Amino acid sequence: MRYLFFSLLFYFLISSNVYAQYEKLKNDSNITWVAEFQLAYDFDLRQEGNKASSITLNKFVSGQGIKATKTTNWLPKTLLKNIISGKIRSYKAPDFSSQYTPQEIEERINSRDTLPDFTACYGFHFHVFHHSIENLKYCLTKQALYFDRRTGTIGTYLIAVAPATTDRRGTNHSYLPFAWVKSDDAWPNKHSVDDTAIHLAWTSDNNTTLVHKNSFQVVKGELDFNQFITDRELAKKSMIFDESDGFPLTNVLSEEDMDSILAGHLDTIFTFDAEKYEEEIELYQKKIQPGDIDYFRLVQDWYFLPEKDMVANQLKAIVPIAMVRDYYHQNRYNNILRHLYFVKTE
């Protein structure tokens, strides 16, 4: 009985500590809106032959910094090795409700899954997946997007991260996490490349994996995020920048510039008048409404914290993306995505 009591007490202390920093964020009275989401990353930090053009290295020095720029899938490998060795605790879900035992991790790393592969050209075949280091090429994250009323800006907080592989069981591009580890970053701590303890830092402009508006799970407050991201007030505060320029953000857009972007495009509408027996042509201005914003592109600064063998991030900018629609509010046949502008969050 005494053993059971102390075991439950130990589990409670661990669980409460896991969410300590995140709960601090959610309980802050100035943080009026919080929404959770999951997003995958391909952090290929190699300098030569870097296929991830959205990655910009900001700092890399001796030790892990050099190793990361020379090794394929460095971050998933680092996380997995620390999970296997027991250096960091791992969990079965990003809510940290159930922790993996060493035996379960050992069984999982040696296990195989037979998955149907629907990506084959002719029908589908079965793919045998090994939970090996080489197969875990991605980092699946659980993050929180929040609104700070003090500054009128938004930010992200990394809750958990998992080495992952692509899920080939369907046609949708999704990911299978191996095991989740908690970020436990100290909020509202702001990291910097000037910190001598940080040997590795990079910026990711995640233009290959976008966040869909329906993926936000609101856990605090009420905010029409699409309305907020298209509000002219952002331009008044000099927070809107030209998306085509990239970084560093220098070309501030005015309210008139923002109006011009949201004015959308002209559609030519052809109709036939049966009485006159003639074709009529009408030009229709399809203005971008808040509801037309379907996706968001995140630009984030990432830092590897060597004392924790863990990463942290800070939101640098966000790009609202609208699906181009026609007069009948239907998506264009080629599903054109229009990246509107940068919203600075720093």
Side-chain angles (χ1 to χ4, degrees):
M1 180 64 71
R2 177 181 295 181
Y3 175 77
L4 178 61
F5 171 77
F6 282 109
S7 297
L8 291 174
L9 178 62
F10 179 70
Y11 176 78
F12 172 77
L13 292 174
I14 289 176
S15 300
S16 60
N17 181 60
V18 164
Y19 266 143
Q21 295 298 332
Y22 182 41
E23 289 299 321
K24 182 181 177 182
L25 183 154
K26 290 195 294 183
N27 293 332
D28 190 316
S29 60
N30 289 303
I31 305 301
T32 56
W33 181 79
V34 181
E36 297 176 351
F37 64 96
Q38 289 190 17
L39 190 61
Y41 298 82
D42 179 4
F43 289 140
D44 189 347
L45 303 181
R46 293 172 298 170
Q47 287 181 291
E48 56 274 1
N50 186 359
K51 67 178 184 298
S53 58
S54 59
I55 298 292
T56 303
L57 280 170
N58 299 325
K59 182 178 183 180
F60 60 101
V61 293
S62 59
Q64 292 282 28
I66 296 296
K67 184 178 180 182
T69 60
K70 300 294 182 182
T71 308
T72 308
N73 310 325
W74 165 81
L75 186 54
K77 286 180 179 179
T78 301
L79 292 173
L80 187 59
K81 288 178 181 178
N82 290 335
I83 289 171
I84 295 172
S85 67
K87 186 176 182 180
I88 53 178
R89 297 187 183 97
S90 59
Y91 300 83
K92 299 175 182 178
D95 61 359
F96 312 117
S97 58
S98 180
Q99 185 175 335
Y100 276 116
T101 65
Q103 182 179 355
E104 287 175 324
I105 289 296
E106 184 177 354
E107 292 174 353
R108 188 159 173 72
I109 197 64
N110 293 322
S111 67
R112 298 180 181 182
D113 282 339
T114 304
L115 307 178
D117 184 359
F118 294 93
T119 61
C121 295
Y122 304 100
F124 71 91
H125 65 275
F126 287 95
H127 169 74
V128 179
F129 171 73
H130 301 258
H131 289 289
S132 66
I133 292 178
E134 295 305 320
N135 282 331
L136 298 165
K137 300 178 180 180
Y138 304 93
C139 284
L140 183 60
T141 65
K142 181 178 181 180
Q143 304 183 53
L145 182 70
Y146 62 86
F147 176 73
D148 189 336
R149 67 178 179 183
R150 288 169 297 191
T151 58
T153 59
I154 51 179
T156 53
Y157 178 81
L158 182 64
I159 302 171
V161 61
T165 185
T166 51
D167 187 348
R168 306 179 69 178
R169 290 176 293 184
T171 55
N172 293 328
H173 198 60
S174 56
Y175 298 85
L176 288 171
F178 175 79
W180 292 92
V181 296
K182 64 184 180 69
S183 166
D184 199 26
D185 190 25
W187 186 85
N189 183 35
K190 295 293 184 181
H191 301 286
S192 169
V193 293
D194 298 326
D195 186 348
T196 56
I198 293 177
H199 292 178
L200 180 63
W202 65 94
T203 298
S204 69
D205 186 351
N206 211 27
N207 50 18
T208 55
T209 308
L210 306 174
V211 184
H212 193 274
K213 62 182 179 182
N214 293 339
S215 65
F216 290 135
Q217 302 294 320
V218 178
V219 294
K220 178 183 178 180
E222 295 182 1
L223 175 69
D224 187 334
F225 192 69
N226 281 29
Q227 184 67 51
F228 164 79
I229 213 73
T230 54
D231 196 324
R232 295 175 90 244
E233 191 67 25
L234 296 175
K236 290 181 181 179
K237 295 179 180 179
S238 300
M239 295 172 61
I240 304 298
F241 291 80
D242 192 342
E243 190 275 334
S244 62
D245 284 353
F247 278 84
L249 300 180
T250 54
N251 189 8
V252 182
L253 300 183
S254 65
E255 294 174 66
E256 291 72 24
D257 293 329
M258 188 174 180
D259 290 340
S260 178
I261 292 173
L262 295 177
H265 61 277
L266 281 173
D267 264 345
T268 304
I269 309 300
F270 295 91
T271 58
F272 185 78
D273 190 322
E275 293 183 0
K276 296 180 180 179
Y277 202 73
E278 63 182 23
E279 189 176 59
E280 295 180 351
I281 301 175
E282 178 186 356
L283 293 179
Y284 172 73
Q285 185 78 31
K286 178 62 183 76
K287 186 177 180 180
I288 297 175
Q289 303 291 342
D292 295 330
I293 307 298
D294 294 294
Y295 297 93
F296 300 94
R297 187 173 111 220
L298 305 183
V299 183
Q300 296 171 299
D301 284 335
W302 290 82
Y303 305 89
F304 182 74
L305 311 177
E307 73 279 4
K308 297 181 179 181
D309 264 357
M310 184 49 61
V311 288
N313 70 24
Q314 292 168 186
L315 184 63
K316 193 170 186 177
I318 188 167
V319 180
I321 302 173
M323 183 76 76
V324 178
R325 294 178 170 89
D326 60 19
Y327 173 78
Y328 304 100
H329 205 68
Q330 299 297 315
N331 294 344
R332 288 290 184 87
Y333 67 94
N334 50 354
N335 289 337
I336 300 173
L337 292 176
R338 185 175 180 188
H339 296 237
L340 302 181
Y341 43 71
F342 282 113
V343 179
K344 188 177 181 180
T345 59
E346 295 178 309

